[in-house]
Amino acid sequence: MDLSFIFEHKLILSISAAVLSILYGAFLAYQVLKQPKGDTKMNEIADAISEGASAYMKRQYSVVAVIGVVIFAILYFALGTYSALGFAAGAILSAVAGVAGMAVAVRSNIRTAQAAKTGLPSAFSLAFKGGAVTGLLVAGLALLSVAGFYWVLEQYAHGDLAPLIALGFGGSLISVFARLGGGIFTKSADVGTDMVGKIEKGIPEDDPRNPGVIADLVGDNVGDDAGMAADLFETYVITAVAAMILGNLLFPNNTSILYFPMLIGAVSIVASIVGTWFVKISGNSIMKGLYQGLIVALLVSVGGFWLLTNYVFQTGLGIPSLNLFYCLLIGLGVTIGMVVITEYFTSKKFSPVKTIANASSTGHGTNVIAGLAVSMKATFAPILLIAGAILASYTLAGLYGVAAAAMSMLSLAGIIVAIDAFGPITDNAGGIAEMAGLDKKVRDVTDPLDAVGNTTKAVTKAYAIGSAGLAALVLFASYTQELAKGAKGITVAFSLSDPAVLVGLFIGGALPYLFAALAMEAVGKASVSIVDEVRRQFREIKGLMSGKVKPEYGKAVDIVTKAAIKEMILPAAITLIAPIAVGFLLGAQALGGLLIGSIVTGLFIAISMTTGGAAWDNTKKYIEEGNLGGKGSFAHQAAVTGDTVGDPYKDTAGPAINPMIKVLNIVALLIASFLM
Amino acid sequence: MDLSFIFEHKLILSISAAVLSILYGAFLAYQVLKQPKGDTKMNEIADAISEGASAYMKRQYSVVAVIGVVIFAILYFALGTYSALGFAAGAILSAVAGVAGMAVAVRSNIRTAQAAKTGLPSAFSLAFKGGAVTGLLVAGLALLSVAGFYWVLEQYAHGDLAPLIALGFGGSLISVFARLGGGIFTKSADVGTDMVGKIEKGIPEDDPRNPGVIADLVGDNVGDDAGMAADLFETYVITAVAAMILGNLLFPNNTSILYFPMLIGAVSIVASIVGTWFVKISGNSIMKGLYQGLIVALLVSVGGFWLLTNYVFQTGLGIPSLNLFYCLLIGLGVTIGMVVITEYFTSKKFSPVKTIANASSTGHGTNVIAGLAVSMKATFAPILLIAGAILASYTLAGLYGVAAAAMSMLSLAGIIVAIDAFGPITDNAGGIAEMAGLDKKVRDVTDPLDAVGNTTKAVTKAYAIGSAGLAALVLFASYTQELAKGAKGITVAFSLSDPAVLVGLFIGGALPYLFAALAMEAVGKASVSIVDEVRRQFREIKGLMSGKVKPEYGKAVDIVTKAAIKEMILPAAITLIAPIAVGFLLGAQALGGLLIGSIVTGLFIAISMTTGGAAWDNTKKYIEEGNLGGKGSFAHQAAVTGDTVGDPYKDTAGPAINPMIKVLNIVALLIASFLM
């Protein structure tokens, strides 16, 4: 079988696959939007959520735009027109992926609540379609930005690759802000609203009398949906770009190497679309229904990768086709491994969550100790998995093998995000049902969907951070190759015996700690501001508690918006400035150390926080199911404490580490040519 | 001035200084022991503590002895007689330092309680003398073991240095067990006793009716005194040995280089003894009185180092004397820096503790979030300090400069330990006063002493881990030099672009996470066993709550002893096996990566845990002083939760990381010659 003629059309193929993904996403959006929207009361609430989310996004992107314009100007003067354009394209498309996906999500929530009246299967199908829009947009826009911008460079810039780095930088920058701002928003709204509502006033979650409740629901969208979408978009783009740059540096005379990552993306986009068709509730297991789709996507990818490596992409790199195929399988294997490990550490079925639950029965302190122990322990298996993947893919195909594995892993972002993004939709649907006073059976449909969403959220984060580990290493490899090119023959060894490298390692290791500490603090500070506002409304608005007067939802949204945006600036600024300062003050060696240092501690912090946080969350749910005394018991109170601690862990600090590491690496790559 | 004739007697001088330290310690012990011991009831309690502590130590060392004999045999066959002997000497002297110091401490506590009847100054003076014994023994025995064993090697083994590594290994191994076993004992006894006594039964701390109270007091001695002593002993020995080995590898033709680290130790031992004379309570500030002694010791060391580098040790290393002197100053500077930073993050006077206190007023969860944020943030300044010290000392005098700075830092162990070890003595004195029903004014004397002890404990841990960071790097440098020697000219570069090094970095980074997780879990499990026992006694022993019948203290001690010893095995075993497995399976490059990986994440985990834990502890004390509602308030309950979380952080997992890193490094050094 000779399919290599396909390769003639490699760029058209990649762009077509990307466009297909976007079109199919639009088609799903159309299907969702034509569903019934429920009664007036439901619409009022849904509109409030939608308005709040838009207001937040507008504010966030007005601030980010100012920073973006400054960086655009700097890039224009330092690196030229195409780098500046690439940066703008990456930033804008990253924002579009998040905003468009979220726009569909905030319209799916009410329709899901309405569908839930007729039972689980229809609600599930609708929420999944709504979430799949985000997934398809993320993968489609990411591939489109890479392939499209590369086409521009080929046509107008003699195939110069440097502007691609700026494209990735644009995506990463947006992603840091989206993850931080969205994460601070969602968790401070959540913690602050619950603290006054549940604890001080004793009213249930999502009670319409609570002035913070809309802010809480808005948070699910801006953090868990838009933030996550921006994050995966940038990871995808960065991985593809890094693989292209590294391929070009390693095989400078082989132009076809540039198309390989894009073709991997094209294969997996088709696989992801096929995968979504197989997501169907089977029996009563929602999780099984989701995994069904993932497994189909994996299998289609395996087939596609086989054809790609054996019959389409015949390159003469000196790497046997079969070895390249195995590298792609390793990427898929790491994805499966991360899913299984995360499931083990966060699911109510296994011993980690049960251990935390048992520790809850002796108090708040022992719950937290057990949770922290689980969170630290949860890093070991993923790290071994990533380490094994690096060793195996390197053995098979050298540095390029690692890049191929990373790209293969990331290429599945479409289906992975789809599986995740239905979570916030069902979470919101439950909130709307509660606030609109719908029948209890509606919540009985949305609650289990929400619970599954919690696990898939943890899975996506583990996937994102695992792939980020590989992607960051590929970026680091590009950085060293770039320096070597600049040094013109002088070997650039980052030796651990070099004190500059060691010092860089230490400083790099310190950055995720500082960043995470600031993010945790930010949630603390922003929560206080919303607690004050919610308390004020309960105090000043007469008839609020009796339900006669509606609270001023908008004010609470406004306050948490301002707080989140204010708090996201400092950690993001540190991320931008640190590599530049270390690079120019301590040199290229120290900067190389910094990159690896940040990857090492960053991976551990991110995995421990996202997994630990989800384990705490599910411990609370496990006890609420009636175990160890159930709701209201002493163990339950302790579990609520653990969940509160886990919130900024898993939804603010932990996931923001992922784009943070990438920004450090990509800034280093941008300034590499100035350092030699 | 020509003092170089002194150098003729360098070994005699070093050994004399070591013996002086031990003799002066014995003299202080004699002074303490001749003080009055109080009434029969006090003696009963003190005897129970002393017996419990001895029983624990016996059990711990019977288990460790079995492991020690196995390793002794392995070393004997693999590396020869002198390595086996060195290992035995290091292990035995490390144990002696801990046991002898603790023996004096458990006899000082009752005398301190008695002296407290006459006021603060006499109680302080006695407790400080009791603690200084441990400090002087640690420094004296450590220097004696290095200088004495080197003398043996010079006389009988043609000056072979390899057995010195085994000496360090012996010390490190004991230290891992002492820190882990002691740390698990002290915190599980503490947490378990409080959980039933304070929370379930509502009786005060140290109430004689609580069956776990003696175990709690025993814990202070076996963990905070004996464990800490073994830890500092090994850090001292390892640093001296690493400096000697590295000096020999870097300057193979200069034999006098071997004596330099010992002479640094000799200078600082004299400085430490002089320092102890200046520890006097001034006004009402206990802290100031302690720092007075430390400052004098620092100044005397500076003078001594000046004489040493300029007039005594003239080596012809190609390093100007002044540069070497500056390196020694850098070591002292890091000590001062670590003290100041730790004080800032843990003292009730500054914003970190106040921030956690404010967060406590909104609940358990926010207290923990704020505490975790502080613990992570607290790593940044120490890491920059250590990184700066590495860069500066390397610039001044190359790799050997880093070794000199590390040795200078460690040489002050005598005075640092003295300042710390009075803490558990006053803690115990307070317990005895409470249990024997002494006048309230006795506790009014011991309580503030205990509070200061908490801060100095945190300072010592920061000092130990900071110096461990430097020492481990020196060990790593020795490892690379050793490999280079074995490779006979082939350069051994640990390049970050080498996937084996990267994989090693990841695995090495994972080890402290796994180790700390297991240590935290161990405290959880051991606490449950003591909770069960205390509950059983309250249930089964009639007349216990009314105070008519005495509880069975010994049984509680016995149970927590068994639990602690059982739980310390697995983490210690991982530490021993991991470097051997990685070295032989993945090679010398991966093992090098592992060492650095463990130093990077280990430093962050250890600093964040020890500092964060102390900050939580002092937050509780700050609130108990009447702030934010004082004792019994909602904020106080939250602060108690934070303190419970901080306990295993600061007294079990955090400090045990220090010897753990060193064992990894020294095992690597031991097997280095088999890897090439």
Side-chain angles (χ1 to χ4, degrees), chain A residues 175-199:
Chain A
S175 174
V176 166
F177 283 113
R179 269 298 194 194
L180 267 179
I184 297 169
F185 187 114
T186 180
K187 285 306 120 174
S188 50
D190 189 357
V191 172
T193 304
D194 282 358
M195 226 136 64
V196 185
K198 277 198 214 168
I199 298 172

Side-chain angles (χ1 to χ4, degrees), chain B residues 284-299:
Chain B
N284 251 330
S285 174
I286 307 160
M287 204 71 207
K288 224 170 120 187
L290 291 167
Y291 281 157
Q292 219 161 266
L294 178 59
I295 291 166
V296 170
L298 282 165
L299 292 176

